[in-house]
């Protein structure tokens, strides 16, 4: 059983939560530090262990390569010793007649075919080759002067010599093993065997691990990477390089350093290097160096380490995580369990007090929320009423603006009938004075007709100017169109001929209000006629069509069209292309049509503009 910590009795859940957060942050920091240290240590250990393993394996492989190289060298080394004591060689060097030389040529030719030697040849004391195993070939050594070669001068002086060089005739590299014929006091000549290492290098290449043999000057002689031949393990001093070039030991080879850099020595004969192999990229290798017994040479063997080390590091890190993560998980569980016990104890102590406090707070919150909701409802209703008033005012303002535009024309319309009434009244008085009742009655009838015309005009204006928003009712669409045309006739006198109206039948009725629908049509007719101002081919087509969804009224003109920038926000308030326009006519028209369940659509291009009004058919 867990015992209650003493500190938990005097701590609130909030205080415990803060402590828990700090504890978890500290735990996370410590865990991160432990994981980082474990990964670093595991990686370092894995790398070190793998390098040791690779070094042991590489040293074994290098020793095997050295043993193979010694085995290859031992066989041809015996040939010069045997031939230096051969009587036919001595006869050819002393007699120098064609018969003795021919016998020696054939003997050398037979010997080279049964050994691993590349070429066998005999040189006189003057440095000229008198016989050779390749005497039949175009690149025969017979007759060539070898006095400049160190293996000739060395054998003449010391009795024997070994010299690795590039053949001046064959242009193939190899080891020249020479031995003097006769004693130092009376030398007869020198026997030379040339050993090439093509097969050995091919065997090394199969391992796919670079290996090379260098001489005492650091020049690469034998290598599994052909392009590395005659490169140097370190930059040569200028005098040494000049001496090698003068001896023509390696022909025209540039003698540049190998593409191996950044050595990091692990032991006297083991180091980590970076090498660039032909066709490859810069890679890390383990370099093992060992001497080749019985020669002044050294063998260097490169073992790729990037992939093995990466695998070893990955394995060790996974192993470290496999140990550290469960331990950290156990520690986290124990910490969580301890904190949970503390939180449970504190929660039990504060439960009753917290419950009562929450009940009181919740009650107060609900009361405040109810008051806020009531206030918002009242505010929304007030705002909605204000918006309706503003909308009606905008509609009325648009209507009065239209009235102002047509007022002058309406006055002219009324003045003409009034002047005619005056004339008919004067004529009627004259006819009555003359007792001619018939003409007088005709004049009085004409006067009555003219007064009816004036009355219809004034009634139309009074009805259009009346403010208010009425409910939708069945309205005769034909009368709405005729009323709109009548109000525009005075302002656009002489231009209404551009209107081509297909009037609907009197029986066609739509849902709405006559005055408000007239306002919509006046706005559209007026916009179309103003867009066509000054055009000789002005034409506005007004059409009415009954559809399954209701009635559509189309107003099309052949004007220049609405600019795209204006068309995108055509029904946005204060958006207009007119210099003195307010940009409210189409907005108000859209709202009026929407009030009666309809909609307005527009399409425009450079050939004209078409507005389509969709209205509901009256049942």
């Amino acid at each position: 059983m867990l015992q209650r910590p003493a500190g938990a009795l005097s701590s609130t859940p909030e205080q415990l939560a803060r402590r828990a957060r700090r504890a978890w942050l500290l735990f996370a920091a410590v865990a991160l530090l432990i994981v980082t240290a474990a990964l670093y240590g595991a990686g370092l250990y894995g790398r070190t262990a793998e390098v040791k393993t690779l070094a042991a394996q590489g040293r074994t492989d290098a020793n095997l390569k050295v043993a193979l190289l010694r085995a290859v060298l031992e066989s041809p080394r015996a040939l010069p010793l045997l031939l230096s004591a051969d009587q036919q060689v001595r006869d050819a060097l002393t007699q120098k007649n064609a018969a003795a030389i021919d016998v020696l040529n054939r003997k050398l030719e037979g010997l080279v075919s049964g050994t691993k030697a590349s070429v066998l040849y005999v040189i006189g004391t003057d440095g000229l080759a008198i016989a050779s195993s390749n005497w039949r070939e175009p690149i025969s050594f017979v007759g060539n002067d070898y006095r400049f070669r160190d293996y000739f001068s060395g054998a003449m002086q010391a009795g024997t010599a070994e010299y690795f060089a590039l053949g001046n005739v064959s242009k193939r590299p190899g080891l020249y093993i020479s031995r003097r014929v006769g004693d130092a006091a009376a030398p007869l000549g020198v026997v030379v065997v040339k050993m090439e290492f093509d097969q050995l290098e091919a065997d090394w290449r199969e391992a796919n691990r670079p290996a090379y043999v260098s001489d005492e000057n650091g020049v690469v002689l034998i290598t599994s990477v052909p392009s590395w031949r005659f490169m140097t393990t370190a930059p040569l001093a200028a005098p040494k390089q000049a001496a090698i070039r003068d001896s023509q030991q390696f022909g025209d080879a540039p003698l540049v350093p190998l593409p191996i850099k950044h050595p990091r020595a692990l032991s006297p004969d083991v180091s980590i290097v970076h090498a660039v192999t032909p066709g490859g990229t810069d890679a890390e290798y383990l370099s093992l160096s060992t001497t080749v017994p019985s020669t002044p040479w050294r063998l260097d063997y490169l073992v790729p380490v990037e992939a093995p080390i990466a695998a070893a590091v990955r394995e060790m890190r996974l192993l470290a995580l496999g140990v550290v993560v469960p331990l950290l998980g156990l520690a986290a569980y124990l910490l969580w369990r301890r904190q949970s016990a503390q939180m449970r104890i504190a929660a039990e102590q504060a439960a009753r007090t917290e419950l009562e406090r929450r009940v009181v707070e919740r009650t107060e919150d609900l009361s405040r929320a109810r008051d806020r909701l009531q206030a918002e409802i009242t505010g929304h209703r007030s705002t909605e009423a204000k918006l309706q008033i503003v909308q009606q005012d905008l509609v009325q303002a648009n209507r009065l603006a239209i009235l102002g535009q047509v007022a002058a024309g309406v006055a002219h319309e009324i003045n003409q009938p009034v002047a005619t009434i005056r004339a008919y009244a004067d004529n009627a008085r004259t006819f009555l004075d003359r007792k001619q009742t018939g003409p007088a009655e005709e004049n009085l009838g004409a006067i009555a007709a003219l007064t009816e015309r004036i009355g219809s005009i004034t009634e139309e204006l009074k009805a259009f100017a009346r403010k208010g928003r009425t409910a939708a009712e069945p309205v005769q669409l034909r009368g709405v169109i005729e009323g709109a045309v009548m109000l525009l006739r005075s302002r656009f006198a002489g231009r209404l001929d551009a209107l081509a109206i297909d009037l609907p039948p009197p029986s066609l009725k739509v849902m709405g209000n006559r005055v408000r629908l007239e306002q919509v049509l006046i706005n559209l007719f007026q916009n179309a006629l103003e867009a066509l101002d000054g055009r000789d081919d002005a034409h506005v087509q007004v059409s009415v069509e009954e559809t399954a969804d209701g009635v559509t009224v189309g107003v099309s003109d052949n004007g220049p069209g609405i600019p795209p920038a204006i068309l995108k926000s055509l029904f946005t308030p204060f958006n207009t292309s007119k210099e003195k326009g307010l940009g409210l006519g189409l907005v108000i028209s859209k709202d009026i049509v929407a009030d009666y369940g309809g909609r307005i659509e527009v399409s425009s291009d450079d050939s004209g503009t078409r507005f389509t009004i969709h209205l509901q058919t009256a049942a």
Side-chain angles (χ1 to χ4, degrees), residues 324-341:
V324 172
V325 170
L327 292 177
L328 290 176
L330 178 60
Y333 170 73
L334 295 176
L335 177 61
W336 170 80
R337 186 175 177 182
R338 180 175 181 274
Q339 292 177 349
S340 298

Side-chain angles (χ1 to χ4, degrees), residues 464-511:
F464 190 75
R466 188 176 300 116
K467 182 177 181 180
R469 180 176 182 178
T470 59
E473 60 183 6
V475 177
Q476 186 186 63
L477 185 57
R478 184 187 185 105
V480 172
I481 297 174
E482 290 176 340
V485 173
M486 177 180 292
L487 290 175
L488 290 174
R489 180 177 289 113
S490 58
R491 183 175 176 222
F492 293 97
R495 285 192 284 166
L496 288 181
D497 293 341
L499 280 174
I501 302 175
D502 297 331
L503 289 173
S507 60
L508 181 60
K509 295 183 178 181
V510 296
M511 296 302 295

Side-chain angles (χ1 to χ4, degrees), residues 10 148 209 228 264 281 304 310 369 493 500:
S10 58
F148 68 96
R209 292 184 175 183
W228 287 4
R264 180 163 56 90
T281 57

Side-chain angles (χ1 to χ4, degrees), residues 398 519-520 523 527 582-590:
N398 178 256
Q519 185 174 353
V520 174
N523 276 324
N527 288 344
L582 294 178
L584 295 174
L586 291 176
V587 179
I588 293 172
S589 299
K590 181 181 178 182

Side-chain angles (χ1 to χ4, degrees), residues 62 163 187 205 213-214 322 459 541:
Y163 186 69
R205 278 195 292 272
V213 175
S214 57
E459 285 297 325
Q541 180 67 43

Side-chain angles (χ1 to χ4, degrees), residues 173-235:
L175 177 64
Y176 296 84
I177 304 172
S178 59
R179 193 166 186 90
R180 185 181 62 218
V181 180
D183 54 22
L188 300 177
V190 175
V191 177
V192 183
V193 58
K194 181 182 180 183
M195 179 65 188
E196 295 182 357
F197 301 91
D198 294 347
Q199 184 60 45
L200 178 66
E201 291 177 336
D203 294 339
W204 286 1
R205 278 195 292 272
E206 291 180 359
N208 201 25
R209 292 184 175 183
Y212 57 92
V213 175
S214 57
D215 62 9
E216 64 275 14
N217 294 320
V219 180
V220 176
L221 307 178
I222 306 168
T223 175
S224 62
V225 184
S227 61
W228 287 4
R229 182 176 288 110
F230 299 151
M231 298 181 79
T232 62
T233 57

Side-chain angles (χ1 to χ4, degrees), residues 145-174:
D145 188 354
Y146 293 102
R147 283 178 295 178
F148 68 96
R149 288 297 195 184
D150 287 355
Y151 60 80
F152 173 75
S153 58
M156 290 291 289
Q157 294 174 5
T160 182
E162 290 186 2
Y163 186 69
F164 195 100
L166 183 70
N168 64 325
V169 176
S170 64
K171 302 302 180 183
R172 294 176 59 82

